[in-house]
Amino acid sequence: MRVATDIGGTFTDLVFFDYDKKTKEVKKVEVSKSSTTPGEFEKGILNTIEKIGLDLNTIDFFAHGTTVVINAITERKGSKTALITTEGFRDVLEIARGTRPDLYNFNFKKEEPFVERYLRQEVKERINYLGEVIIPLDETSVDKHITTFIKEGVEAIAICFLHGYKNPVHEKQLASYIRKNHPQFEIITSHEVTREWREYERTSSTVLSAYVKPIATKYLNNLTHHLQKLGYKNNLYIMQSNGGITTVEDVKANPITLIESGPASGMLGAVVLGRTIGKENLLVLDIGGTTAKCSLIENGIPKIVTTYNIEKTKTQAGFPILTPVIDIVEIGNGGGSIAWLDDGGKMRVGPKSAAANPGPSSYGKGGINFTTTDANVVCNRIHKDYFLGGELKPDFDSLKNAAQPLCEELDMTMEEVARGVIRVANSNMINALKSVSVNKGYDPRDFSLVVIGGGGPMHGAYLGEELQMPEIIIPLNAGVFSAFGMLMSDLRRDYIRTDVMDLNEDKFADLKIVFQDMKNEAIMAYERDAYQKEDIEFEYYLDLRYNGQEHSVKLKLSDLDDLKMDEIELDFHQLHKKRYAFSLVDTKIEIVNYHLVAEVIVNKPVIGKVEAKGYTVDDALITTENVDFDVSGIYQSRFFDRDKLDPGMNIAGPAIIVEQSTSTVVPPNHQFRIDDYANIIISKIN
């Protein structure tokens, strides 16, 4: 039996599978949803477990995705952190990069570093770019710095030396000294976070990982303790941003790998779904209570980037993090996003959210702001009897009070305001989808749109129509699909090293040595977690660029034992032209980074076909009521119970399909069918 939980900004989701380990056939699926409990996130998980009476003594596998890391950073609620670096480099965080995020936008603001200058200290040491020791580490000044850190209440120390990525001997030496003499600090070194170059980005990544390390460690220890008290006896696995799971101990050593823990699992679940139904080119949109996340999947493979930015906008540079992350664009636009008017009187939706507490005004928990969820309630796209899975009746009095200021400012009725809110929210999401498709040279018409999360199915058909996509896919249990994705994940660890050299056959031997060194490191790490060398599968990537360029592209090597220079060159030229619209076939190629992916494939269920239960369309019909479809008008629409929609059914809209964790909107001039796997497939009627 397998369980996965996912903590979002508003809700905590749980999915439970009972399946046959030999046939991998799923026998039973249960889902549970509870409000997220900020500050004590483990309580939300325990509430979902209690809600369905789950006996953890019977569970073999437990995976977990969390927003603890990203929330601690964005809300500035991490631990007091200090930085020790090479003499002369304490201001790297302050200097950052001189480029503006939007070239012609002069309202640029440089954010304050996460470590104030008086807590950024230097020591004498120097290693050159070849990894050779020029000046040995001088430990004599360290105790003086530590005394200052103790006095200032520092909890975590980040250590980042110049060229520590090439040779970490001094970082290891200093970390060992502090851990031995001052064990009260959480210590993390840059080479434990990444072996990739770029001094500012590497320092930023190390500092941010140190910033969240005490909080993440405490949280994961508490969660493990509570699960053990409830009878869970096996390892707890954590979802990483790279689309793979790993052990708790591995995550505690470098918690920045959790920066996009939850969203990554939803994208991975979509990969598995697409392979199952034969749709390998997908745009995936996950709309939760607080944010919307989207990603592009081509040929069944999600895009992985190794440089990720948080809080980057047109006026803010944000903070770079060197860690493998599924390429996800995230915007502050979810069900709980608040509608407001800017200084010019234009309506905006998000990024501020009503979150779980107090939540949208229709929850009746004291919320005073009008949100996207409230707008869908007003339009009757969320039926009052199936609000939050039927657990709560909408508070229409609170909803009207929240809408009143907008109605007065805009001189509109509440219904007109609600339509406007949905329209603006849809526009925000379309822009996000374009940023991962059109803006990168992909045509959305060549992709299917998979919508997940509690809000995805309510907006998916409108987004697909605007982007002229052929179909919209709503998976089974779409509202808790991110948790489902964790149950389909394998263990994964990424190893990246920078070693710039020309690409030519004479360097193939050196190339293989670098990869072998990383393989040995991966094998040792997995063996510490009781996995065997034979269980590990490896993938090899090179970050390549033209000589003299700054940016590189990532190329997968098909076979490390039989490298062919002409094939690598051809593949690189084609990949570069697709990414940057040109190629320079007569220019030398450089290797920048070596990227090793080490995976352990775990026994997991497969998505199986769903047998028809013999229901008719009339059996699935709940009621017929008016629904507001904005510019299309108000239509008498049928409301269907998803649990009674059998595979093979084809039904014309307008319609609303209700289930425990979400509602699916099928607008006029659209139709839907239920495929063999109980997915809802929406398409436009020509």
Side-chain angles (χ1 to χ4, degrees), residues 12 30 59 79 89 275 326 375 440 572 607 632 655:
T12 296
E30 284 193 50
I59 303 302
S79 303
F89 288 86
R275 290 172 181 168
I326 290 180
K440 294 185 177 180
F572 169 72
I607 300 176
S632 298

Side-chain angles (χ1 to χ4, degrees), residues 127-133 161-172 190-191 194-199 202 496-501 510 514 517 591-592 594:
I127 291 173
N128 68 13
Y129 74 101
L130 296 173
E132 300 165 342
V133 176
F161 290 151
L162 186 67
H163 302 307
Y165 68 92
K166 187 69 173 178
N167 182 358
V169 60
H170 287 171
E171 290 189 351
K172 291 179 179 179
S190 76
H191 75 273
T194 181
R195 296 289 296 273
E196 194 171 347
W197 68 352
R198 302 193 187 283
E199 189 63 19
R202 192 162 50 89
I496 302 172
R497 288 193 187 177
T498 296
D499 192 2
V500 181
M501 65 175 73
D510 295 335
V514 175
D517 192 25
I591 301 172
V592 179
Y594 303 79

Side-chain angles (χ1 to χ4, degrees), residues 6 65-67 238-245 257-272 284 286 293-295 297 302-304 308 324-330 452 481-486 488-489:
D6 175 39
T66 177
T67 56
I238 308 298
M239 189 72 195
Q240 303 173 99
S241 307
N242 61 10
I245 55 175
T257 59
L258 302 185
I259 192 73
E260 287 290 358
S261 171
S265 59
M267 306 308 158
L268 184 71
V271 170
V272 177
V284 187
D286 179 356
K293 289 81 64 176
C294 58
S295 187
I297 297 165
K303 307 293 182 184
I304 303 287
Y308 183 72
V325 178
I326 290 180
D327 192 7
I328 296 172
V329 169
E330 184 168 354
I452 57 178
F481 196 75
S482 286
F484 163 82
M486 295 175 206
M488 299 298 178
S489 303

Side-chain angles (χ1 to χ4, degrees), residues 266-280 282 450-452 473-476 481 484 488 607 675 677-679 681:
M267 306 308 158
L268 184 71
V271 170
V272 177
L273 173 68
R275 290 172 181 168
T276 302
I277 64 176
K279 304 285 183 179
E280 297 198 332
L282 304 172
V450 175
V451 286
I452 57 178
I473 302 170
I474 298 94
L476 197 62
F481 196 75
F484 163 82
M488 299 298 178
I607 300 176
D675 72 3
Y677 300 89
N679 301 304
I681 314 293

Side-chain angles (χ1 to χ4, degrees), residues 329-361:
V329 169
E330 184 168 354
I331 60 172
N333 212 121
S337 293
I338 295 170
W340 55 285
L341 302 181
D342 65 16
D343 293 339
K346 292 183 179 179
M347 181 184 288
R348 308 285 186 181
V349 178
K352 191 174 181 180
S353 172
N357 188 16
S361 61

